[in-house]
Amino acid sequence: MKEIIASIITIGDELLIGQTIDTNSAFIAQQLNSIGIRVAKRVAVGDQETAIREALDNESTYADVILLTGGLGPTADDITKPLLCDYFGGKLRRDPATLKHIEWLFNEVYKRPGALLPRNQKQADIPDNCTILHNPRGTAPGMLFQKEYRIYISMPGVPQEMKEIMTDSVIPFLQQNLKTPFIFHRTLLTAGIGESMLAEQLVNFEATLQPELKLAYLPQYGMVKLRITATGQDQLVLKQAIDSKFEELKKLVATHLVTDKDEKLEAVIGRLLSEKKATLSTAESCTGGSIASMLTSLPGSSNYFKGSIVAYANEAKEKLLMVDHSTISTYGAVSEQTAQAMATGALKQLNTTYGIAVSGIMGPDGGTTLKPVGTVWIAVANKSTTKVQCLKLGFDRQRNTHQTAISALNMLRQFMLTESQD
C-alpha cells in the first residue's frame, strides 16, 4: 500500500512576523496522523501571490494532499480564494447556500443591523470547480480541489472554524477516498528523569522493537512523554505488537511513570482528586496563579478545585494566608517555613483536603548569595501532614515559573499516592 503524504501551507504575514502563533498546523497534523496520513512538511508563507503559488507548485511535486489555511477573509489582504480560482482554472460564482448562511450569521448570530456589506456578500463567491466545505462557525467556506490525482483543501485561518471543517468534512472525505495504512499510538508520561537518561535506560528496549514500531521522545518542562507508534496493514497484528511493547515500556519506566495515557499532568491530578472525592486549594506567590490556571483549564475542575490565593506581597501572605509576620521576618518569604505556613493557610482559608504552596525567586534579578535566582520552596499539605521541597532552577523567568508549577503538581501527585499506600 502506497504511503499517503500530506503538506500543510499556512498563509499570513502575521505568522511570519511572530504576531500570531501557528496552532493550526499542529491540529491538522494530529488529525491526519490519526487516519494514517503522514505530514512531510509544514510551510508558512506571507500574503503574497507569488509566494503562495510557489508553495503550491513545490508541495505538489511530492505530496498527495495539500492543505492550506488562511487568506479567506473579506479584506484586501485575503487573496487565497481568487488565487486558487485562477490556479485551478475556475471562475468565481455566487453560491446561494453560502450566501444564505452568511445572512443567517449576520442577522441571527452576530445581530448586525442593516444590510450585508458587499465585501461580506463576496464571501459567497466560490470557484466553480471546487467542492464547497460548509463552515458552520464563519462566513468563509472551505474549498476542495482535485488535480492530477492530488487533493488540495483550503480552510479559514481562524482556528475554531478550521477545526470544525477539518473534523466534519475533510477527515471523512479523505477516509472515504484514500486507502491509508493503519496507525496506532500509545503514550505515557514520565517525570523526574531527563530525556538523555531515559534514552540510555531504554537502549536495549529500542533494539527489540519490530520494524513497524517506533519510539519517540517528547520532552517537556520537567517531564518526558514516550510514544510508541505502530504503522502497517494488518490491524490486529499491529494492535497486539504495540500493546505488548507498551506494557514492557511501562515496567521499564515504572519508577518515573506519571500516567500511561496521552494526557496532561493536571488531568492526572484531577482524576486522583475525583477518585478520592477530595478538594484542592493553592497558595501561589512566585507562580502568580499559574498552577490554578493549569487546573482550571480542564472541564469539571470545579468539582475538586476550590480556588487559589495569589499572595505575591508579604503583606498578602500575612493577611490572606495568616502567615506570621515573625516567620517571614526571621526566615524570609522564600523559605521552608513560609511555604509550610502558606500551605496550612490555604487549607484553613479554603477548607480543602489538600493544599499547595509555592514561594520563590523567578528572576532575572532579586536573588542573593544564599538564595540565588531559581530558588523555590514548594509545600504540599493535608490536615495532618506537610511536605516541602526546595528547587534550584537555572532557567529564565518564564521557564522557572512553568517548571515550578509542574513540580508542585507532581509533588502533590506523589503525596497523594504515598498517602494511599500508608
Side-chain angles (χ1 to χ4, degrees):
M1 182 183 297
K2 177 183 177 293
E3 182 182 36
I4 305 298
I5 301 297
S7 180
I8 301 170
I9 302 173
T10 55
I11 300 169
D13 290 341
E14 67 277 8
L15 299 171
L16 298 180
I17 65 175
Q19 190 175 37
T20 299
I21 297 174
D22 174 24
T23 59
N24 286 347
S25 292
F27 180 83
I28 293 171
Q30 290 168 354
Q31 293 293 307
L32 294 176
N33 192 258
S34 71
I35 61 170
I37 296 177
R38 182 171 70 87
V39 176
K41 193 190 295 186
R42 292 158 53 172
V43 180
V45 297
D47 296 305
Q48 294 85 36
E49 182 174 342
T50 55
I52 299 172
R53 285 181 178 275
E54 182 179 349
L56 284 167
D57 289 341
N58 291 341
E59 303 315 298
S60 297
T61 61
Y62 68 93
D64 305 290
V65 182
I66 295 101
L67 300 102
L68 305 91
T69 66
L72 297 181
T75 56
D77 62 337
D78 294 307
I79 62 173
T80 302
K81 183 167 59 177
L83 184 152
L84 291 176
C85 185
D86 180 69
Y87 189 85
F88 293 106
K91 294 182 179 179
L92 289 175
R93 62 171 178 81
R94 185 149 295 181
D95 179 62
T98 301
L99 181 60
K100 185 176 180 180
H101 173 67
I102 294 171
E103 291 172 341
W104 174 79
L105 282 175
F106 273 81
N107 294 330
E108 303 298 328
V109 181
Y110 307 153
K111 307 250 183 231
R112 302 277 176 84
L116 280 179
L117 295 173
R119 69 174 64 246
N120 297 126
Q121 294 175 333
K122 287 181 66 176
Q123 292 284 81
D125 293 346
I126 314 295
D128 58 4
N129 56 346
C130 79
T131 299
I132 298 173
L133 306 178
H134 178 57
N135 178 3
R137 289 180 174 268
T139 60
M143 299 174 290
L144 187 151
F145 301 87
Q146 291 179 276
K147 180 181 179 181
E148 297 175 354
Y149 306 105
R150 288 183 174 82
I151 298 170
Y152 301 78
I153 299 167
S154 176
M155 295 175 287
V158 180
Q160 295 85 352
E161 298 179 24
M162 177 278 299
K163 288 179 180 179
E164 194 136 353
I165 295 174
M166 191 74 192
T167 54
D168 291 355
S169 300
V170 175
I171 293 299
F173 175 86
L174 295 177
Q175 287 179 306
Q176 292 169 10
N177 290 273
L178 298 176
K179 191 173 183 181
T180 60
F182 293 105
I183 185 166
F184 297 103
H185 299 292
R186 295 293 304 274
T187 303
L188 58 81
L189 180 66
T190 66
I193 183 171
E195 179 185 12
S196 58
M197 291 295 293
L198 267 177
E200 190 67 25
Q201 186 175 318
L202 297 175
V203 168
N204 293 334
F205 172 78
E206 289 195 69
T208 65
L209 290 175
Q210 299 96 311
E212 62 270 20
L213 300 181
K214 181 181 179 182
L215 177 65
Y217 296 80
L218 308 169
Q220 305 171 358
Y221 290 139
M223 301 181 294
V224 180
K225 276 186 177 182
L226 296 175
R227 185 191 67 225
I228 300 180
T229 299
T231 308
Q233 310 307 322
D234 193 317
Q235 184 178 14
L236 181 59
V237 170
L238 283 177
K239 190 73 169 58
Q240 291 174 339
I242 195 172
D243 288 346
S244 174
K245 280 298 181 182
F246 190 71
E247 290 303 314
E248 185 179 339
L249 179 63
K250 283 169 56 178
K251 292 177 182 177
L252 291 172
V253 301
T255 305
H256 304 283
L257 182 65
V258 173
T259 175
D260 62 357
K261 300 177 178 61
D262 187 8
E263 61 184 351
K264 295 180 178 180
L265 177 58
E266 49 265 42
V268 178
I269 297 296
R271 186 170 63 252
L272 287 173
L273 289 167
S274 297
E275 290 172 354
K276 289 174 170 285
K277 294 182 172 54
T279 55
L280 172 65
S281 59
T282 63
E284 302 186 54
S285 181
C286 58
T287 49
S290 295
I291 301 172
S293 178
M294 292 170 67
L295 291 164
T296 56
S297 67
L298 300 174
S301 55
S302 60
N303 294 324
Y304 51 81
F305 182 66
K306 280 201 174 182
S308 177
I309 296 175
V310 181
Y312 208 67
N314 290 344
E315 181 184 2
K317 294 178 178 67
E318 295 173 17
K319 288 188 175 181
L320 301 177
L321 292 168
M322 301 177 293
V323 179
D324 286 340
H325 178 76
S326 61
T327 299
I328 296 177
S329 61
T330 302
Y331 302 104
V334 181
S335 65
E336 175 182 356
Q337 293 79 4
T338 298
Q340 286 180 313
M342 289 172 64
T344 303
L347 284 175
K348 291 178 180 177
Q349 294 292 72
L350 292 167
N351 190 28
T352 55
T353 316
Y354 301 101
I356 296 175
V358 291
S359 186
I361 307 166
M362 299 291 97
D365 48 28
T368 65
T369 302
L370 293 178
K371 297 177 182 179
V373 169
T375 302
V376 178
W377 281 96
I378 302 173
V380 296
N382 58 20
K383 294 293 195 296
S384 60
T385 306
T386 302
K387 292 190 176 182
V388 295
Q389 177 185 4
C390 182
L391 302 180
K392 298 289 186 179
L393 304 174
F395 312 114
D396 59 32
R397 184 179 182 85
Q398 182 179 10
R399 184 169 177 182
N400 283 341
T401 301
H402 195 82
Q403 183 79 53
T404 298
I406 291 292
S407 298
L409 287 175
N410 193 49
M411 187 174 169
L412 174 66
R413 179 188 68 86
Q414 294 169 325
F415 183 80
M416 288 192 288
L417 292 176
T418 301
E419 181 188 56
S420 300
Q421 294 166 3
D422 292 341

